[in-house]
Amino acid sequence: MMTYEKLLEKTALEDDRFIVMTAENRALVRNLPTSLGNRFIDTGITEQTMLGAAAGLALRGRKPVVHALSAFLTMRAFEFTRTSVGIANLPVKLSSFIPGVLSDGNGPTHQAIEDISIMRGIPGMEVFAPADEEDLVAMLPQIWATENPSYVRINTRPAILKHKPYVFGKAEHIFEGKDCTILTYGFMLEESVKAHQLLSDLGYQVGLVNLRNLKPFDGDLISKLATQTSCFITIEDHFLTGGLFSILAEYLVKNQILIPTHSIAFEDRWFKPGRLSEVLIHEGLDAKSVVEKIQKFIQK
């Protein structure tokens, strides 16, 4: 199976425009220094310096793929990303490690649950959230091929379903359902698939969409589904503000589409750290809790 690291190595060896950079966060790329030589750059724990250097390299015709923990890549280096990369619209590709609840045992300082909101606010920045490593590897060649800056929520967990072929900018419509349609992305697809099965067993007809592209957003699919389902339910490991719920609400209002819409997200609070399974249960993001909430939404 192709992994993130193997794909990046293959891409970089075939195209010398690619430079791999890290801010002393080698978990995803620990074997690449040997094969890439001076095209592997570790700046140390200096995310701002890394983004500034990446912008300089991009100005010289390179395509830097930069790595850091999500919270520090999006927040500590934000001004450099916005000003040096965003305003110049440079093809710097941001690989964001342990986003959302995947930071599990780390405390609020390491929780990137506002990263989608931050990064989509930069004009020209593309934002992606693969559901697992299979999804990630299928998406990255097209993401890396663009000449725009891109932010990717890296997820290397094993797939729990066979994905449909990836089409840039398009969501993955997994199941159709008239009672409601779940819209989700990233790791939360795992719990959403489990919740879908539980709801189906209870007799509900529930749709499911993997919105792996958050910017660009697949508005065409949303418009189509709004005529076929009774309500939308967004599920995300992100603050309610600025994430998928906000993206959806903006689209519905702009296009004057009226449909009941509910959300399962973090509402103005941090999540309590613990093992991932514990976090999900405590925060009501596990499949069982999601089912209970969706039943109430449908009954309304």
Side-chain angles (χ1 to χ4, degrees):
M1 173 185 168
M2 181 68 78
T3 64
Y4 172 85
E5 184 179 51
K6 289 179 181 178
L7 176 65
L8 181 53
E9 180 181 45
K10 178 177 182 293
T11 302
L13 290 175
E14 292 176 351
D15 185 346
D16 62 9
R17 289 185 65 196
F18 282 84
I19 305 290
V20 177
M21 305 182 72
T22 178
E24 201 174 277
N25 183 238
R26 299 194 181 197
L28 293 168
V29 292
R30 58 171 53 93
N31 296 308
L32 297 191
T34 301
S35 59
L36 297 186
N38 62 8
R39 285 197 290 132
F40 182 95
I41 302 170
D42 189 337
T43 65
I45 308 176
T46 55
E47 291 84 2
Q48 294 172 334
T49 297
M50 178 177 66
L51 264 297
L57 287 164
L59 282 169
R60 297 298 183 270
R62 302 288 192 167
K63 272 194 175 182
V65 182
V66 304
H67 302 79
L69 296 184
S70 301
F72 308 131
L73 185 60
T74 55
M75 292 182 281
R76 182 175 293 163
F78 176 72
E79 182 189 358
F80 288 75
T81 303
R82 170 194 176 274
T83 303
S84 299
V85 175
I87 291 176
N89 197 46
L90 297 173
V92 176
K93 307 299 181 176
L94 284 69
S95 287
S96 175
F97 194 49
I98 62 169
V101 292
L102 292 179
S103 65
D104 56 3
N106 295 290
T109 57
H110 286 58
Q111 292 173 2
I113 52 178
E114 64 278 91
D115 58 327
I116 302 298
S117 175
I118 291 171
M119 301 311 292
R120 78 180 184 94
I122 299 175
M125 178 68 72
E126 300 164 343
V127 180
F128 307 90
D132 46 60
E133 189 158 34
E134 180 185 312
D135 208 22
L136 173 69
V137 169
M139 294 171 64
L140 283 174
Q142 294 182 52
I143 294 170
W144 289 340
T146 77
E147 297 302 316
N148 299 319
S150 303
Y151 175 76
V152 182
R153 265 192 166 199
I154 298 296
N155 182 357
T156 57
R157 290 174 64 83
I160 64 170
L161 54 75
K162 182 65 177 177
H163 291 285
K164 297 176 182 178
Y166 176 65
V167 178
F168 187 87
K170 297 298 182 180
E172 180 183 26
H173 190 190
I174 301 172
F175 299 116
E176 295 184 2
K178 66 177 184 179
D179 291 323
C180 73
T181 295
I182 296 171
L183 307 176
T184 191
Y185 60 85
F187 165 72
M188 288 311 300
L189 181 66
E190 276 192 41
E191 296 303 312
S192 298
V193 168
K194 297 173 187 175
H196 175 273
Q197 183 59 58
L198 293 172
L199 287 162
S200 295
D201 292 343
L202 292 171
Y204 294 103
Q205 295 182 34
V206 177
L208 178 60
V209 176
N210 173 21
L211 277 164
R212 45 196 178 186
N213 308 275
L214 294 168
K215 185 184 175 186
F217 183 66
D218 192 354
D220 290 342
L221 178 61
I222 296 302
S223 295
K224 177 183 175 182
L225 293 178
T227 67
Q228 301 173 355
T229 193
S230 297
C231 69
F232 287 135
I233 298 169
T234 60
I235 302 177
E236 56 189 320
D237 53 342
H238 189 278
F239 284 135
L240 182 66
T241 301
L244 175 56
F245 181 74
S246 293
I247 295 170
L248 176 64
E250 290 166 12
Y251 180 82
L252 295 177
V253 170
K254 184 176 181 180
N255 291 277
Q256 300 182 41
I257 298 172
L258 185 62
I259 181 173
T261 303
H262 308 279
S263 66
I264 298 175
F266 294 107
E267 298 194 31
D268 202 29
R269 61 185 174 82
W270 311 106
F271 68 81
K272 186 176 181 181
R275 290 179 297 181
L276 181 57
S277 58
E278 297 171 334
V279 170
L280 293 174
I281 293 171
H282 185 270
E283 302 297 343
L285 293 174
D286 62 298
K288 181 181 177 182
S289 299
V290 166
V291 167
E292 292 173 355
K293 293 174 182 178
I294 289 178
Q295 283 183 289
K296 291 180 181 178
F297 292 150
I298 293 175
Q299 289 165 7
K300 285 184 179 179

